[in-house]
Amino acid sequence: MKFLSTAVGLLLCATAFGQDIRSYVATNTVPVATLDVTSDDYGDLAAVGQAIGEARVVMLGEQDHGDGPTFQAKTRLIKYLHERKGFTVLAFESDFYGLTTGWDKLAKQPDSIRHFLQRNIFPIWTGSADCRYLFEQYIPQSFQTANPLNVSGFDSQLYLMYSYLHLRKDLDSYLVSQGIANKFPSPSDYQQFLEAVQGLIAEPRTPGTFRSGMRKALEKGLQLVSQAQLAAHDASGWPCVVASLQSYIVRSYPLLARDKAMADNLKFLVTTQYKDAKVVVWAANAHIMRYADQQPGKGWAFDLVIRHKMGSNFVQDPQWARQTYVLGFASYQGTAGRLGTAPYPVQVPDKNGLETWIPASMAYGFLDFTPYNKQFNYPTTPFLMKSPGHSMPPAPIPPIAWNLVYDGLFFIREMQATKKWD
């Protein structure tokens, strides 16, 4: 009996040690040698490849849309995933319609690709010096090889150049061909609807174009179109376009509507547009969080910052829960800031936060939470970390079990705000 008691005690001690997330982070974060985007030596990324395994979707986050070293790290990871792991599609947090329909119609010559990317991916990335190699060289030059890297998008904000020039006309042709245009109460109502669509698309370029009186015509028209698509079991990409436009004009919790639409757009990409292809997703940490809807927080702040994000919506389908790897990004110190804004200092980590558990000698590192989660039955114990942005979540939000939100983390000790591509 004494032997049994001793054995049980030792087992409990071993389990408690094994479940210590601090010890796991300190001993299992592996160094990454470089962020050099031109490097073709991927030996230091072997742990990333092993963690990703056979996943079909890899989501790459960022704490702020101006994190220069993160952009470099993501570019290098994309190269590795493309050249070593068979990923052939790069999907951006940018215009779903322009980066699907527009890309399909594009002549895949280097100059035309460069021109298209500059106008149909948000300038926070295309204007960044840290993304220049990706947009100016790597993607265009891949089409001179037998292994091209296709580009797509999943954002429900449909107003970049291709959508601005073509969406209204293409939508009109689609609605007429499907007999949906005739379902509007009158030709005048239909034209008002199309004008409202164009006004919404043009608003970011020309404020005031989407006049207050257009909202009602747009809401009613989109509802009519959506109902007709549902009745017809439309499996094309147009229901996603309509749902994206609907999410864009939601008044209450618009960010939640956007995340839901982005998840649906991404599902269309991986099930229809690029069926069976492996897809890399470029987005913010805040959008890619998985199982954030299962965290125990409450209230509007928690809903806005943590719950119901694109990643959580996407992995509600067990197939994508199994085939998706979510890689968040974390940093220790430095500056951040998007193009066009003043750089700001990133918050100092909490003295008991994850960032302080990583060996101080490590400039860049990769941490895979998957073995920890599997071994200890997906621990729900919260711990502190600056995420999804460069600061701790605001006070109303309780601590989070970040090991369930991200499958892995890419750590950058010294962050720097990106600079403009001259």
Side-chain angles (χ1 to χ4, degrees), residues 317-340:
D317 184 328
Q319 174 188 0
W320 300 117
R322 293 189 302 269
Q323 297 188 45
T324 300
Y325 191 92
V326 175
L327 184 62
F329 276 70
S331 61
Y332 188 90
Q333 63 189 9
T335 62
R338 307 180 187 191
L339 294 177

Side-chain angles (χ1 to χ4, degrees), residues 96-384:
F96 169 72
Y97 188 72
L99 288 174
T100 50
T101 301
W103 181 259
D104 273 354
K105 295 182 178 180
L106 179 70
K108 302 302 190 299
Q109 299 299 321
D111 286 343
S112 61
I113 291 172
R114 295 184 188 105
H115 182 87
F116 180 85
L117 296 179
Q118 283 291 326
R119 286 155 181 78
N120 293 285
I121 293 175
F122 287 129
I124 51 177
W125 296 304
T126 57
S128 165
D130 296 292
C131 294
R132 181 171 186 170
Y133 174 81
L134 179 66
F135 295 128
E136 182 75 5
Q137 297 185 52
Y138 191 74
I139 295 173
Q141 290 175 3
S142 77
F143 280 84
Q144 305 301 301
T145 73
N147 184 31
L149 180 62
N150 282 289
V151 174
S152 192
F154 52 86
D155 202 327
S156 58
Q157 299 178 113
L158 312 182
Y159 61 76
L160 296 176
M161 185 59 71
Y162 189 89
S163 289
Y164 176 72
L165 294 176
H166 300 284
L167 180 50
R168 171 185 169 162
K169 176 177 61 68
D170 293 350
L171 178 62
D172 181 21
S173 298
Y174 160 76
L175 294 175
V176 170
S177 69
Q178 299 300 307
I180 300 176
N182 294 330
K183 296 181 182 295
F184 280 74
S186 69
S188 175
D189 288 318
Y190 180 60
Q191 290 305 315
Q192 289 177 13
F193 166 70
L194 293 177
E195 290 173 7
V197 169
Q198 186 61 32
L200 182 70
I201 297 169
E203 178 67 19
R205 283 182 171 76
T206 311
T209 305
F210 186 61
R211 302 183 299 276
S212 58
M214 289 180 167
R215 177 175 288 274
K216 185 175 181 180
L218 184 58
E219 289 176 341
K220 291 176 65 176
L222 290 173
Q223 184 178 17
L224 184 154
V225 173
S226 180
Q227 291 173 345
Q229 291 172 328
L230 186 62
H233 304 288
D234 190 336
S236 73
W238 281 109
C240 288
V241 172
V242 170
S244 292
L245 293 171
Q246 288 176 311
S247 75
Y248 196 30
I249 57 173
V250 167
R251 295 178 187 267
S252 178
Y253 288 121
L255 287 177
L256 301 189
R258 180 183 170 212
D259 272 276
K260 174 62 167 62
M262 290 198 295
D264 291 340
N265 293 343
L266 182 58
K267 288 178 185 177
F268 175 81
L269 294 180
V270 299
T271 60
T272 304
Q273 185 76 9
Y274 293 105
K275 185 178 181 181
D276 300 326
K278 290 186 173 183
V279 179
V280 183
V281 172
W282 180 303
N285 271 1
H287 293 307
I288 67 172
M289 296 188 294
R290 68 186 296 164
Y291 301 138
D293 54 329
Q294 298 179 21
Q295 297 289 332
K298 297 180 180 179
W300 69 268
F302 189 87
D303 286 345
L304 188 64
V305 178
I306 303 295
R307 198 188 305 277
H308 305 314
K309 294 303 183 179
M310 179 188 75
S312 295
N313 281 296
F314 185 74
V315 301
Q316 284 179 356
D317 184 328
Q319 174 188 0
W320 300 117
R322 293 189 302 269
Q323 297 188 45
T324 300
Y325 191 92
V326 175
L327 184 62
F329 276 70
S331 61
Y332 188 90
Q333 63 189 9
T335 62
R338 307 180 187 191
L339 294 177
T341 66
Y344 63 91
V346 302
Q347 188 182 83
V348 176
D350 187 276
K351 63 180 181 180
N352 294 315
L354 174 141
E355 298 88 352
T356 67
W357 305 339
I358 296 172
S361 60
M362 195 176 295
Y364 315 114
F366 168 70
L367 173 66
D368 183 22
F369 285 124
T370 308
Y372 174 78
N373 289 336
K374 288 182 177 179
Q375 184 176 358
F376 300 109
N377 195 27
Y378 297 86
T380 59
T381 304
F383 57 90
L384 298 176

